[in-house]
């Protein structure tokens, strides 16, 4: 060892020890309360403007599941565009159509089945508040939002049509047409006649709803991963009275029958540009590099290389991806039951059954409710 | 090397396009104060303030022109009953009648009297407190001084709505009636109709 080496090694060793002795910077985990709705509100506040509606819908449904209906109504009221609103794309809409931005930069209002579900929930909340006609208005708007290329699948939600007619009937009108339409959509599923004297309305939902995913070579197509529900029916009981609530609507089916969107054409065009640019890039870069070496072909090679690199850059920058943001706590199935109960404190038992008719006992629950002396008492039940 | 400049320019252009801000989907927050009877730039297909103002003023003029009101001896007592909403628009139903009442009060110059039947619970509670001696003024209260209605003013909102690839359209029919509760006669009926149509942005179609 050279005479001057020892101090240098010692110095290096010290330098190595110094970082090891530094107090590690501890980052505190964010404090999360058990109040999921409050936490959800924080997420809404922190979300970018384009995603706030999505978070609000999810938190509103969570609030409904927890029986915090006023909060759910407030969130839907604030974030769901009015029934008569025309959805304006604005700057983000323009960006979502541009070559270099994905569709997901636009403000989230959801696909038709998501808008329909939001209006269904608003209707249920109005009904709970004793505003049956406003509830019916929401159900009608919800049905109208169910767009499809195939007219057979347009406005074909069974529960919405059934409830429209039921409320019309209870308000003294003629709900027969609505019931007839609902039955036509229901097919083999039997829909009971309206009981105008029924005063307890139980709206049920089962399972997990569909999730959006991207398809196509460049993610330009909107596809669906179907939802799932083990529960296929429920029985609502009060003493000796029991009403069966079979599945009426399949949310995955409604999502998948939407058909081609106008935006799908835009995304297909973007994917086409990306494909061409990628091909130009593939064809131009390597031959361009080769040709740019000899002096005689250098100019042509550089042009080819430039075109190839530009093609690669354009191909890499084009964003044809479809918007896959999903309202992720929607159910797979909707169901309904109506009962006649005396006013005052009442107990309801809800039992859930699978496709084989087996009781799913871990999901059973008992609800205490105050049945109103006048008007309808509306109950919302989710199996999850 | 003469091609370096265009290639560099092309790259710079792409980088600039890629760096465009996408975080603010709004055009900024700007507030424009408008008259309530003006059609705003965010107008939609639903029931809006300009419709409310037009309908309320028209109905108020109609009610005041009714012979039973115009030539009534004394002030007729009118009770407002919430409108029935048969449209697809969830609305605050009281606001129509409130606006009509305000218009009637402004134009009737004391020719009609409105009864606060929608506040009957609070009124009964106050009367009972007085009668029970829990608050002062009980000595002035007779057995029942709440007035009965000479007429009932109410209305119905109905609509025909459609939505498809080419856009959406809503026709709304507002009808209001003045009823005689003694005979169930319809003393007066007025209506207003509005049709609106429009399209969502292509991004949401």
């Amino acid at each position: 060892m050279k005479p001057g080496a020892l101090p240098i090694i010692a110095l290096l060793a010290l330098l190595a020890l110094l970082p090891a002795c530094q107090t590690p910077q501890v980052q505190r985990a964010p404090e999360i309360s058990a109040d999921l709705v409050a936490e959800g509100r924080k997420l809404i506040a922190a979300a970018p403007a384009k995603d706030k509606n999505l978070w609000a819908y999810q938190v509103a449904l969570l609030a409904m599941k927890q029986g915090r209906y006023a909060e759910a109504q407030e969130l839907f009221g604030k974030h769901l565009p009015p029934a008569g609103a025309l959805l304006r794309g604005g700057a983000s809409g323009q960006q979502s159509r541009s070559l270099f931005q994905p569709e997901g930069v636009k403000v989230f209002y959801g696909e038709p089945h998501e808008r329909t579900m939001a209006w269904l929930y608003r209707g249920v909340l109005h009904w709970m508040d004793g505003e049956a006609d406003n509830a019916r208005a929401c159900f009608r708007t919800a049905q109208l939002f169910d767009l499809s290329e195939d007219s057979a699948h347009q406005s074909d939600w069974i529960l919405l049509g059934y409830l429209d007619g039921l409320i019309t009937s209870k308000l003294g009108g003629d709900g027969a047409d609505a019931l007839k339409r609902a039955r036509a959509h229901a097919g083999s599923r039997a829909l009971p006649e309206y009981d105008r004297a029924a005063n307890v309305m139980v709206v049920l939902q089962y399972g997990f709803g569909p999730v959006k995913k991207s398809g196509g070579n460049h993610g330009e197509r909107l596809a669906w991963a179907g939802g799932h529900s083990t529960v296929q029916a429920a029985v609502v009981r009060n003493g000796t009275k029991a009403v069966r609530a079979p599945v009426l609507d399949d949310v995955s089916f409604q999502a998948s029958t939407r058909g081609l969107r106008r935006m799908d054409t835009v995304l297909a065009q973007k994917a086409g540009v990306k494909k061409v640019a990628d091909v130009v890039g593939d064809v131009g870069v390597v031959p361009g590099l080769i040709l740019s070496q000899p002096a005689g072909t250098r100019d042509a090679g550089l042009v080819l290389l430039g075109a190839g690199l530009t093609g690669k850059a354009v191909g890499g920058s084009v964003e044809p991806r479809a918007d896959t943001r999903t309202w992720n706590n929607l159910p797979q199935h909707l169901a309904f039951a109506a009962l006649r109960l005396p006013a005052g404190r009442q107990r309801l038992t809800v039992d859930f059954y699978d496709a084989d008719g087996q009781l799913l006992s871990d999901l059973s629950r008992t609800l205490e409710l105050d049945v109103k002396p006048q008007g309808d008492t509306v109950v919302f039940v989710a199996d999850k | 090397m003469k091609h370096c400049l265009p290639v560099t320019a092309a790259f710079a252009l792409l980088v600039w396009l890629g760096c465009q801000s996408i975080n603010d989907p709004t055009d900024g927050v700007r507030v424009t104060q408008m008259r309530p009877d003006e059609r705003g730039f965010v107008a939609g297909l639903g029931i809006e303030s300009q419709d409310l103002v037009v309908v309320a003023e028209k109905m108020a003029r109609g009610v005041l022109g009714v012979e039973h009101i115009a030539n009534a001896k004394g002030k007729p007592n009118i009770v407002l009953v919430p409108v029935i909403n048969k449209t697809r628009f969830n609305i605050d139903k009281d606001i129509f009648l409130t606006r009509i009442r305000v218009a009637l009060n402004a134009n009737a110059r004391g020719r009609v009297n409105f009864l606060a039947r929608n506040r009957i619970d609070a009124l009964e509670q106050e009367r009972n407190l007085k009668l029970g001696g829990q608050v002062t003024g009980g000595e002035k209260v007779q057995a029942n001084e709440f007035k009965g209605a000479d007429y009932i003013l109410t209305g119905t909102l109905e609509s025909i709505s459609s939505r498809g690839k080419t856009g959406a359209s809503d026709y709304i029919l507002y009808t209001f009636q003045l009823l005689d509760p003694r005979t169930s006669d319809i003393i007066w009926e007025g209506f207003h109709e509005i049709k609106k149509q429009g399209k969502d942005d292509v991004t949401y179609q």
Side-chain angles (χ1 to χ4, degrees):
Chain A
M1 188 180 289
K2 290 184 179 177
L6 195 60
I8 293 170
I9 291 170
L11 190 64
L12 285 172
L14 272 173
L15 277 173
L17 280 173
L18 185 65
C21 295
Q22 292 287 303
T23 308
Q25 195 175 0
V26 178
Q27 289 208 333
R28 287 179 181 278
E31 286 182 17
I32 297 174
S33 71
D35 184 344
L36 294 179
V37 175
E39 292 303 319
R41 284 181 181 278
K42 289 181 195 169
L43 291 171
I44 297 168
K50 70 187 182 72
D51 295 334
K52 281 190 190 296
N53 292 341
L54 172 63
W55 281 106
Y57 299 167
Q58 290 171 167
V59 176
L61 180 51
L62 181 66
M64 281 186 76
K65 288 180 178 181
Q66 294 189 357
R68 295 159 72 166
Y69 302 118
E71 288 181 78
Q73 184 71 293
E74 176 231 319
L75 285 166
F76 279 128
K78 189 175 172 189
H79 291 274
L80 188 63
L86 292 167
L87 300 179
R88 304 287 180 201
S92 67
Q94 277 185 340
Q95 285 177 335
S96 72
R97 294 196 299 274
S98 75
L99 270 180
F100 302 110
Q101 302 286 358
E103 187 193 358
V105 300
K106 70 183 183 185
V107 174
F108 181 89
Y109 293 116
E111 289 302 314
H113 77 282
E114 290 167 317
R115 293 178 218 168
T116 295
M117 287 300 293
W119 279 103
L120 167 69
Y121 293 131
R122 272 214 91 174
V124 170
L125 291 165
H126 274 304
W127 208 0
M128 286 176 173
D129 289 341
E131 299 175 18
D133 53 355
N134 269 341
R136 178 180 58 185
C138 293
F139 298 149
R140 287 177 175 174
T141 291
Q143 191 75 290
L144 207 64
F145 273 127
D146 180 33
L147 294 174
S148 173
E149 276 193 312
D150 183 352
S151 59
H153 294 308
Q154 188 147 342
S155 302
D156 65 341
W157 290 67
I158 300 162
L159 180 60
L160 292 169
Y162 185 76
L163 295 183
D164 180 344
L166 174 61
I167 292 175
T168 300
S169 173
K170 285 178 73 73
L171 291 175
D174 182 3
D177 278 351
L179 179 59
K180 194 175 167 186
R181 282 195 297 274
R183 280 182 168 153
H185 293 311
S188 59
R189 279 165 281 195
L191 284 174
E193 289 289 333
Y194 293 140
D195 178 4
R196 290 173 63 177
N199 59 338
V200 175
M201 310 294 161
V202 188
V203 178
L204 302 105
Q205 62 176 41
Y206 313 142
F208 300 105
V211 177
K212 293 173 203 165
K213 58 180 186 177
S214 55
N217 289 333
H218 303 289
E220 75 276 17
R221 280 194 210 139
L222 189 59
W224 301 96
H228 172 74
S229 175
T230 309
V231 176
Q232 293 297 316
V235 173
V236 183
R237 290 190 178 84
N238 172 262
T240 56
K241 293 177 189 166
V243 178
R244 188 176 153 79
V247 166
L248 295 181
D249 282 299
D250 181 328
V251 180
S252 290
F253 172 78
Q254 291 293 346
S256 62
T257 53
R258 192 257 185 265
L260 197 69
R261 307 174 304 156
R262 292 283 299 277
M263 198 61 195
D264 290 334
T265 313
V266 175
L267 296 178
Q269 287 167 350
K270 287 192 199 184
V273 171
K274 185 178 178 66
K275 190 177 175 184
V276 169
D278 283 343
V279 169
V280 169
D282 291 343
V283 169
V285 172
V286 176
L289 271 174
I290 295 166
L291 289 172
S292 63
Q293 300 307 313
T297 56
R298 183 163 297 156
D299 282 355
L302 283 173
V303 170
L304 200 55
L305 180 61
L309 287 173
T310 306
K312 280 283 181 196
V314 170
S317 303
V318 171
E319 290 281 7
R321 277 176 295 140
D323 182 7
T324 54
R325 290 173 294 172
T326 304
W327 183 351
N328 62 14
N329 57 349
L330 283 178
Q332 170 73 345
H333 295 310
L334 296 172
F336 178 75
L339 298 93
R340 290 186 196 187
L341 294 180
R345 196 77 176 160
Q346 297 291 340
R347 178 173 290 178
L348 280 187
T349 307
V350 185
D351 290 321
F352 297 93
Y353 296 86
D354 66 13
D356 298 325
Q358 296 297 313
L359 173 68
L360 301 163
S361 54
D362 53 331
L363 296 178
S364 295
R365 67 196 62 183
T366 302
L367 309 170
E368 298 284 340
L369 62 149
D370 288 313
V371 177
K372 296 176 188 171
Q374 285 184 326
D376 298 325
T377 302
V378 180
V379 184
F380 175 72
V381 179
D383 67 337
K384 305 289 182 199
Chain B
M1 284 296 108
K2 62 184 175 185
H3 302 290
C4 280
L5 191 61
V7 171
T8 311
F11 269 116
L13 181 67
L14 286 170
V15 168
W16 178 75
L17 285 169
C19 293
Q20 288 293 294
S21 170
I22 58 166
N23 290 326
D24 183 10
T26 66
D27 291 331
V29 180
R30 287 173 294 190
V31 176
T32 307
Q33 193 163 340
M34 308 182 79
R35 293 195 315 276
D37 58 346
E38 241 180 315
R39 189 166 171 80
F41 48 77
V42 288
L45 303 173
I47 298 162
E48 296 174 317
S49 69
Q50 68 271 17
D51 310 327
L52 172 69
V53 172
V54 169
V55 171
E57 292 291 336
K58 187 175 174 181
M59 296 306 132
R61 283 198 302 274
V63 170
L64 286 177
V66 178
E67 192 187 339
H68 294 71
I69 302 291
N71 302 325
K73 289 175 183 169
K75 285 187 192 178
N77 294 314
I78 297 180
V79 162
L80 305 175
V81 173
V83 298
I84 299 167
N85 178 17
K86 295 183 178 177
T87 71
R88 72 173 185 92
F89 304 104
N90 52 329
I91 55 162
D92 176 355
K93 296 186 293 178
D94 294 335
I95 197 168
F96 270 96
L97 292 174
T98 304
R99 185 65 181 81
I100 292 173
R101 191 186 68 222
V102 169
L104 280 170
N105 272 329
N107 299 315
R109 300 177 199 282
R111 275 189 284 158
V112 291
N113 188 40
F114 291 100
L115 305 180
R117 196 62 64 77
N118 58 335
R119 302 293 178 127
I120 195 78
D121 291 344
L123 296 168
E124 276 179 348
Q125 190 183 359
E126 182 63 22
R127 187 184 62 182
N128 292 340
L129 287 172
K130 283 179 178 173
L131 287 172
Q134 291 153 288
V135 296
T136 60
E139 66 283 358
K140 296 177 190 168
V141 179
Q142 304 295 314
N144 189 358
E145 290 182 293
F146 289 165
K147 292 177 181 170
D150 296 311
Y151 301 107
I152 291 173
L153 179 63
T154 189
T156 306
L157 279 55
E158 293 164 273
S159 72
I160 300 172
S161 303
S162 62
R163 202 174 186 94
K165 275 184 186 174
T166 51
S169 128
D170 283 284
Y171 163 81
I172 304 172
L173 175 65
Y174 305 80
T175 52
F176 287 84
Q177 295 176 327
L178 194 64
L179 310 173
D180 183 337
R182 194 169 50 85
T183 62
S184 77
D185 285 345
I186 299 173
I187 301 297
W188 164 87
E189 188 164 40
F191 77 98
H192 188 77
E193 54 194 345
I194 296 173
K195 184 171 181 178
K196 299 177 184 178
Q197 60 182 28
K199 265 191 206 180
D200 289 329
D201 185 84
V202 65
T203 322
Y204 298 106
Q205 288 177 27

